Amino acid sequence: MRADPHDTDISRFMALHDEAEALLDSLDKQFMVERRESKELLGPSEALVRMVRLIPRTPAAGPLAVAFTDFPGLMVRLGRWWAEALPACGCDDCGEDPHDLADVLRTQVGALVEGGLWERVRRGVGGSWFETRLIGVGISARREGPLTTRDSREARRSGFAAPVQWAPWPRRS
């Protein structure tokens, strides 16, 4: 995410970094996950950002990845294909509220943790597509998009030719 001339108070989104930190720490304490932190590129023309991944100790449960952007904002990935930019835009005209975005983060992550993420690959005439559904308390949403040939092949090798219902995260005793 880059600063836009219509962004006069982007510092308001720093609250998202604080919310994400608290959520990641809480999840790490409650669930049996491996926490990995690194610096990664979000795209070819992007700067390195801090990336935190929580990978459940059971392969049947979907992973969570949160990138902390310099904007400031978050790029959140649930499972393989569910991706969310918080904020989506960040300009003053859009009026995105950091507290509402923090609720979106908690709602989506809560659905993942409870086993509410479903993903699959569909083949079509024009190529392959991913399809995801996220269902949980306060959310019932569906997304789809095209896959490159390479990504499609890799997804099918990983077992995504059939629908995958991610399992709930295992809790610590």
Side-chain angles (χ1 to χ4, degrees):
M1 290 184 194
R2 298 193 196 306
D4 181 288
H6 301 293
D7 302 333
T8 57
D9 185 21
I10 61 172
S11 64
R12 70 186 185 274
F13 295 114
M14 276 306 295
L16 287 173
H17 283 203
D18 296 338
E19 287 287 338
E21 285 288 354
L23 180 60
L24 289 165
D25 289 345
S26 175
L27 292 170
D28 193 19
K29 290 176 186 166
Q30 291 179 55
F31 298 95
M32 295 173 46
V33 295
E34 178 183 341
R35 184 178 182 138
R36 294 182 189 166
E37 295 198 30
S38 61
K39 292 280 189 179
E40 297 182 23
L41 291 173
L42 285 181
S45 62
E46 299 290 329
L48 286 172
V49 298
R50 179 173 167 244
M51 179 74 73
V52 178
R53 296 179 194 283
L54 294 183
I55 302 157
R57 299 275 180 188
T58 175
L64 167 67
V66 178
F68 294 79
T69 67
D70 291 336
F71 176 73
L74 304 171
M75 289 298 297
V76 181
R77 179 166 303 275
L78 311 176
R80 189 173 188 114
W81 294 298
W82 188 275
E84 191 76 41
L86 299 171
C89 175
C91 78
D92 295 337
D93 293 338
C94 290
E96 293 173 286
D97 181 271
H99 300 292
D100 293 343
L101 297 174
D103 287 342
V104 168
L105 173 67
R106 286 188 295 274
T107 298
Q108 290 185 2
V109 170
L112 170 71
V113 165
E114 294 302 321
L117 181 63
W118 174 91
E119 300 181 294
R120 76 172 180 159
V121 172
R122 280 189 299 128
R123 284 182 146 171
V125 176
S128 294
W129 291 74
F130 71 85
E131 183 179 348
T132 64
R133 291 187 184 150
L134 188 61
I135 299 169
V137 176
I139 189 168
S140 179
R142 180 179 178 272
R143 294 184 182 166
E144 62 180 40
L147 290 173
T148 65
T149 303
R150 183 175 152 255
D151 288 343
S152 175
R153 192 173 23 253
E154 171 58 28
R156 283 192 299 277
R157 285 185 189 138
S158 300
F160 285 86
V164 172
Q165 172 79 42
W166 290 108
W169 284 16
R171 291 195 177 272
R172 292 192 188 273
S173 327

